[in-house]
Amino acid sequence: MGTCDAHLLLSLMQIFILCLLCIMAKVEALNKTLSGFYVFGDSTVDPGNNNYIKTPFRSNFPPYGLDFSNQVPTGRFTNGKLATDYIASYVGLKKELLPPYLDPSLTNIEELMTGVSFASAGSGFDPLTPTITNVIPLEKQLEYFRECKKRMEDAMGKQRIEEHVEKAVYFISAGTNDFVINYFGLPVRRKTYTLQAYQNFLIQHITDFIQKMQMHLNFSASKAKIYYVDIYKPIADMIQSRKIFGFDEVDSGCCGSGLIEASILCNKISNVCLDPSKYVFWDAIHPTQRAYHNIFLASISTIDLIVNN
């Protein structure tokens, strides 16, 4: 399998789900607004929660964050913004970046109400996956949301926050690590499951997670709306039609050789390409800021459908 094919396979494996657990907020003129935006998942949506836990799976050091002001690494596994940052800004939540929930400086209730990410790089739907790199399981991320909700209730009152969470959007992006780190990386699951059986195993865990989220939010199944956002096609389009999208390199990442470097292997002594915007991938696994922006642009029709529904 060539490098390009490998990247396509990783993208295909990525399970990218947009969960709306209520008909959402208002539309004022051309300004689309939601009550809040809450994110769960892995490194594709982790803005830096792993900075605050004991795990080797971090990216809070150069050259990560290269395209941010002052080149400050935030813990995002890319050179700049994630797709969820673009979404938060687009839907009028008055923030350019979606903050990590575990950031100890995150004490402003308004910040909690407009949205945070509970995601942890290296996590997955399979309970075994986050134990491999000692990161935050999805179950724990859901506990953090419950804690976040309690903090908001203590400050703003239970009734107001109940109404608030009913009008918020809940976003889940995970699945890659279940295959790359877990199923194909270790022999444990492969001894028990065929590839198809493992996919079914993950689908059941996705279903269980969404049902638990509904219970935490006191939503009945009849009120829940689930939207699926396909990121395989946007990434495949960028790879297959690189010149149309303005990319020069799609077979390797910008950091180091671009073939094996990610997390601590992509560091301050790594060679970095001159122009990350010409690359689809920042490191050997994660897209660049520009690629994430293109994924966001490809999702706008679904986002508009949700906001205007």
Side-chain angles (χ1 to χ4, degrees), residues 11 25 30 78 94 97 103 120 128 138 146 152 158 220 222 229 248-249 261 269 272 297 305:
S11 303
L30 297 177
T78 185
K94 298 180 182 179
L97 298 173
D103 184 347
S120 176
L128 176 61
L138 281 165
R146 189 165 62 243
M152 293 188 293
K158 186 176 180 64
S220 65
S222 61
V229 179
D248 293 336
E249 181 57 61
E261 294 86 356
I269 66 171
V272 179
L297 292 176
L305 174 65

Side-chain angles (χ1 to χ4, degrees), residues 14 105 199 240 251:
Q14 180 71 18
S105 69
Q199 290 172 342
Q240 295 168 357
D251 294 331

Side-chain angles (χ1 to χ4, degrees), residues 43-104:
S43 58
T44 56
V45 288
D46 178 4
N49 283 306
N50 278 17
N51 299 351
Y52 308 103
I53 62 174
K54 293 182 179 179
T55 177
F57 210 56
R58 294 185 179 184
S59 61
N60 56 339
F61 44 80
Y64 288 99
L66 182 66
D67 284 3
F68 277 133
S69 176
N70 299 322
Q71 301 183 343
V72 176
T74 61
R76 289 167 172 80
F77 281 74
T78 185
N79 56 307
K81 293 182 178 181
L82 302 171
T84 40
D85 294 315
Y86 289 112
I87 294 172
S89 177
Y90 176 73
V91 298
L93 291 176
K94 298 180 182 179
K95 54 177 60 180
E96 291 297 315
L97 298 173
L98 199 68
Y101 178 69
L102 293 186
D103 184 347

